[in-house]
Amino acid sequence: MMAMSQRDVIDFPVLERELQAALESERRYVRENDAKLRAVSQRVGSYNEFRDLVLACHLKPLEKKDKEGSPRKQPWNPVAPSNM
């Protein structure tokens, strides 16, 4: 029977982290590529507009419940006193 070396042992937590990083990288690539294609089809006026659209592609629009007038879950500055 052969002894197992350190090289033969699979480190599953490391493998899981690598997989998650690869999946996130793929999602980012697809999201940015879709934004680029949308920007080209919209015929944006300048490279800066194109770049801004691609850089903001991870943002999601506000939902109705997120708009002004609804109570905030996170204060703007949690360190500031609330009695001001």
Side-chain angles (χ1 to χ4, degrees):
M1 185 171 192
M2 281 172 75
M4 290 182 66
S5 70
Q6 264 316 87
R7 250 184 59 180
D8 296 332
V9 177
I10 297 174
D11 189 349
F12 286 103
V14 170
L15 192 60
E16 178 69 23
R17 282 193 299 272
E18 288 177 9
L19 174 63
Q20 292 305 321
L23 289 172
E24 180 54 37
S25 177
E26 178 67 16
R27 283 190 289 266
R28 180 179 179 190
Y29 172 81
V30 169
R31 185 175 59 237
E32 288 180 355
N33 193 55
D34 289 347
K36 290 173 185 178
L37 294 173
R38 270 194 312 277
V40 168
S41 70
Q42 292 174 6
R43 300 183 192 276
V44 293
S46 68
Y47 173 75
N48 285 335
E49 284 180 55
F50 173 85
R51 185 173 179 269
D52 289 343
L53 285 171
V54 174
L55 289 175
C57 69
H58 68 285
L59 300 174
K60 295 185 172 117
L62 290 175
E63 295 179 8
K64 195 171 196 170
K65 66 180 179 174
D66 296 330
K67 296 191 179 171
E68 194 172 333
S70 63
R72 289 198 169 99
K73 293 179 182 152
Q74 173 67 37
W76 286 104
N77 185 354
V79 180
S82 60
N83 59 357
M84 291 182 80

